[in-house]
Amino acid sequence: MTDVCWTTLVRSLLAQGCPVRFTAPGRSMAPTIADGETITVRPLGADEQPGHGEIVLAQVDDRLIAHRIVEMHPAADGTWDDTWFVLRGDAQGQATDVVPRRAILGRVLLPPRSCRAWLAGAVWRLRQQCAQWKPFLKPVLEKML
């Protein structure tokens, strides 16, 4: 099946309210989602808003990606239809895609397992917090060393 056919099929099923389960290719979300791991995507209703730090399935051009929301840029009028989301894989150093709300198709539900998924999310949040404090702490640490 071509990427375009696969994208059309998944998009159609999610639009009908059906969850979709498939094997995720690639390592961009490691360690949260391993290459070849089966994930489930729950449809995202038109009135639902995805949140910062959530893993979502989005359509970028003719391909589907499951990445984490790292930034949200709401519309000036406060509507979610015009909100833009910055997505990044956990294993990637910088944001890779910026998509509008209409490109986000569903929330990724991670399979039950040990605390690996929770821990990966916690590590990601800690890295984000450390990055925010880095400009303030760097001069202090340089003086101490």
Side-chain angles (χ1 to χ4, degrees), residues 70 73 129:
V70 294
H73 300 280
Q129 290 174 352

Side-chain angles (χ1 to χ4, degrees), residues 23-133:
T23 301
R27 296 185 176 107
S28 66
M29 281 301 293
T32 308
I33 301 172
D35 183 20
E37 185 168 14
T38 301
I39 61 171
T40 302
V41 179
R42 185 180 63 79
L44 193 63
D47 60 339
E48 286 186 80
Q49 99 187 29
H52 188 270
E54 281 191 79
I55 301 172
V56 295
L57 184 72
Q59 181 174 350
V60 178
D61 300 323
D62 289 334
R63 64 190 175 94
L64 298 176
I65 60 168
H67 280 175
R68 192 178 300 278
I69 296 173
V70 294
E71 289 180 40
M72 298 180 344
H73 300 280
D77 61 2
T79 61
W80 283 101
D81 293 338
D82 295 328
T83 299
W84 287 81
F85 295 86
V86 180
L87 307 177
R88 179 176 63 201
D90 287 357
Q92 298 171 318
Q94 53 190 336
T96 57
D97 294 290
V98 179
V99 298
R101 166 61 181 87
R102 67 182 169 277
I104 297 179
L105 306 177
R107 285 186 170 94
V108 174
L109 306 175
L110 298 173
R113 55 182 165 215
S114 63
C115 61
R116 181 174 70 170
W118 178 86
L119 185 59
V123 168
W124 178 83
R125 288 187 293 278
L126 181 61
R127 283 177 47 197
Q128 294 293 62
Q129 290 174 352
C130 289
Q132 291 173 348
W133 284 96

